[in-house]
Amino acid sequence: MLFIYNLLTVIAGWHLKLIALFIPKIKLFVEGRKVVFDTLSQKIAASDKVIWFHAASLGEYEQGLPVMQKVKAMYPGHKIVVSFFSPSGYEVRKNTKDADVVVYLPLDTLANAKKFVALAHPELVFFIKYEFWPNYLNELRKHNTPTYLISGMFREKQAFFKWYGGFYRDALKAFTHFFVQYESSKKLLQTIGFTNATISGDTRYDRVSEILERDNNLPFIEEFIDGKITVVFGSSWPKDETMFTDYINSSTGTKFIIAPHTFAHVPALQQSITKPAVLFTEKEGKNLADYDVLIINTVGLLTKIYSYADVAYVGGGFGTAGLHNILEPAAFEVPVIIGPNHQKFPEAVALVNMGGCISVKNKQEMEDALSLLTHNDDQRWETGHIAGTFVSMNRGAVGIIINHIANETGV
């Protein structure tokens, strides 16, 4: 099976090069990987001590960041290498100050794995949540490199737990320890013989709690809000937007901030809104208080913007791309609304069950939820308070992970 996997990986690499000619995101994926080994050669010397963190994309990076920062403090003489699989992670964080080297992870071929591990020569490795690449893991195991999974999640449908997943199960032997989010993941690992697992919880709760301590002031948002109830639609997709634009158009006395996940559909979004609306990139010289809708067509501001929200809708729940981060608005004690497709996100299921988040199935339910939370002060406060308490009570994963590693490595 490993032979077939390796063959398919090579074939996939060829196909991606062809697809890259037509799809810009895939082009970034392919072109970015061409310079990985040169980057590692230039920035990592044979004498350097290295710690490697791998994240699939931006969400996993943010999830692992509080651990990375603690590890960096524990090992101040080491260089931190961060690898991404997805352009959406690499392109946003390629210049982060929390790492010394940021690269794409080359496709999981035998040759790539050997060369990457040889050039990076890490002393410690952290994989975040998932992304189990057999050749990389097998290479780390050959080098006896301490390797950890943080905020891990396992499901029965994964190949590890199937009759054909033997080579995947063997790859898991590379992990020194698994830090998993839930009891169910620990039990699944036990069924295939792995007992080196600790239920640490999800590091994202620690990460989003840290944002409360930052300077989240955005004067232009304060000018726009002008003291009025404000709804923030974060990381919205076109399917999300069809559910709430009519509500915006029919509302009075409420301010709306929309931060789309991508900007290609912003012109169509603008056309669908009849209220006075302004783009972030066109705000200069305007009296923002005169507008009812502010569209954020830039990146990096959404977390701070949530701190100004009275109500937040988090996108992704009406499509198949996946629900975006509900914990950021929840950390600010903001009541959250989401779409129906959230069952694969345990934090969303739990928060809905607790009453800190409202799941809506259609346009009418969306409008009812927005109306309830914008017009009923008590309901808005209670829902938001539950959301904030939910985040607070689930903190602590980073401490569990760092304490274990400190005891294991003697740092």
Side-chain angles (χ1 to χ4, degrees):
M1 290 298 292
L2 183 57
F3 170 79
I4 296 174
Y5 170 85
N6 286 329
L7 178 62
L8 291 175
T9 302
V10 172
I11 294 172
W14 296 339
H15 286 172
L16 286 168
K17 290 178 181 178
L18 293 175
I19 298 171
L21 298 174
F22 309 99
I23 302 177
K25 187 173 182 178
I26 301 300
K27 184 177 181 180
L28 289 173
F29 181 99
V30 172
E31 293 296 320
R33 283 167 166 78
K34 290 181 179 179
V35 299
V36 171
F37 296 132
D38 286 342
T39 300
L40 293 176
S41 298
Q42 293 167 9
K43 295 189 175 183
I44 300 177
S47 58
D48 286 336
K49 296 180 178 181
V50 177
I51 299 173
W52 171 28
F53 284 81
H54 174 66
S57 192
L58 183 59
E60 289 74 32
Y61 171 84
E62 295 294 335
Q63 198 165 18
L65 185 57
V67 175
M68 188 190 310
Q69 291 170 335
K70 295 289 186 182
V71 168
K72 189 174 183 179
M74 290 169 64
Y75 297 91
H78 287 60
K79 285 187 174 180
I80 303 294
V81 172
V82 172
S83 63
F84 286 100
F85 186 78
S86 167
S88 60
Y90 176 82
E91 295 300 327
V92 176
R93 290 290 179 261
K94 59 186 176 184
N95 296 317
T96 178
K97 295 179 181 179
D98 289 298
D100 299 285
V101 184
V102 182
V103 293
Y104 279 100
L105 184 71
L107 292 180
D108 187 35
T109 65
L110 282 167
N112 284 344
K114 288 180 179 179
K115 192 168 185 178
F116 188 98
V117 172
L119 289 172
H121 54 81
E123 294 184 6
L124 287 173
V125 177
F126 297 86
F127 278 58
I128 304 164
K129 192 174 181 178
Y130 40 54
E131 290 250 313
F132 305 98
W133 300 113
N135 287 316
Y136 281 101
L137 290 173
N138 288 338
E139 193 64 23
L140 292 170
R141 187 181 173 197
K142 290 177 184 176
H143 287 75
N144 295 314
T145 307
T147 302
Y148 301 91
L149 180 68
I150 56 180
S151 291
M153 288 183 65
F154 291 91
R155 298 186 178 94
E156 287 186 29
K157 67 178 182 180
Q158 290 173 302
F160 312 113
F161 312 107
K162 305 296 184 181
W163 63 267
Y164 54 81
F167 77 100
Y168 268 112
R169 289 190 288 275
D170 284 342
L172 290 183
K173 294 176 182 177
F175 285 103
T176 307
H177 204 84
F178 300 89
F179 296 100
V180 297
Q181 296 186 34
Y182 303 104
E183 176 74 22
S184 58
S185 292
K186 183 177 181 179
K187 287 182 177 179
L188 280 171
L189 285 170
Q190 289 173 344
T191 66
I192 55 174
F194 292 95
T195 58
N196 53 331
T198 297
I199 303 169
S200 61
D202 190 342
T203 54
R204 285 184 302 168
Y205 293 99
D206 298 83
R207 173 63 175 155
V208 298
S209 295
E210 292 174 358
I211 66 179
L212 301 176
E213 302 170 7
R214 301 184 206 162
D215 179 4
N216 292 300
N217 291 320
L218 294 171
F220 76 91
I221 294 291
E222 294 177 11
E223 179 187 346
F224 167 75
I225 288 173
D226 194 30
K228 295 181 174 63
I229 293 291
T230 302
V231 180
V232 174
F233 299 96
S235 300
S236 61
W237 294 83
K239 285 185 178 180
D240 300 300
E241 290 151 12
T242 60
M243 298 291 164
F244 60 69
T245 49
D246 283 349
Y247 180 85
I248 291 175
N249 292 334
S250 63
S251 295
T252 57
T254 303
K255 295 281 188 163
F256 300 95
I257 302 173
I258 308 173
H261 184 66
T262 60
F263 307 140
H265 62 281
V266 165
L269 175 61
Q270 287 179 282
Q271 289 182 358
S272 70
I273 295 171
T274 59
K275 291 282 187 178
V278 60
L279 293 175
F280 169 84
T281 53
E282 298 177 358
K283 71 182 189 307
E284 298 304 325
K286 294 183 170 66
N287 183 1
L288 297 181
D290 291 340
Y291 294 87
D292 295 322
V293 182
L294 173 60
I295 300 174
I296 308 297
N297 57 339
T298 189
V299 298
L301 295 178
L302 182 56
T303 300
K304 290 187 176 183
I305 290 172
Y306 278 138
S307 71
Y308 290 92
D310 293 292
V311 179
Y313 172 80
V314 177
F318 277 98
T320 58
L323 182 68
H324 293 284
N325 192 347
I326 68 169
L327 298 180
E328 287 184 347
F332 289 109
E333 297 196 354
V334 176
V336 180
I337 303 171
I338 58 175
N341 301 333
H342 63 271
Q343 298 304 318
K344 292 183 178 179
F345 299 84
E347 72 280 6
V349 174
L351 192 53
V352 168
N353 290 337
M354 288 182 67
C357 179
I358 299 174
S359 174
V360 297
K361 302 185 185 67
N362 51 49
K363 186 176 177 180
Q364 185 60 57
E365 289 190 4
M366 171 77 81
E367 293 179 353
D368 290 344
L370 288 169
S371 181
L372 172 67
L373 293 174
T374 54
H375 292 96
N376 188 319
D377 294 344
D378 289 340
Q379 184 68 54
R380 184 173 62 253
W381 182 89
E382 178 64 20
T383 307
H385 179 68
I386 292 171
T389 301
F390 174 75
V391 172
S392 180
M393 66 187 285
N394 281 286
R395 291 181 297 181
V398 173
I400 292 172
I401 294 168
I402 292 300
N403 288 337
H404 181 100
I405 293 169
N407 290 332
E408 198 165 76
T409 61
V411 175

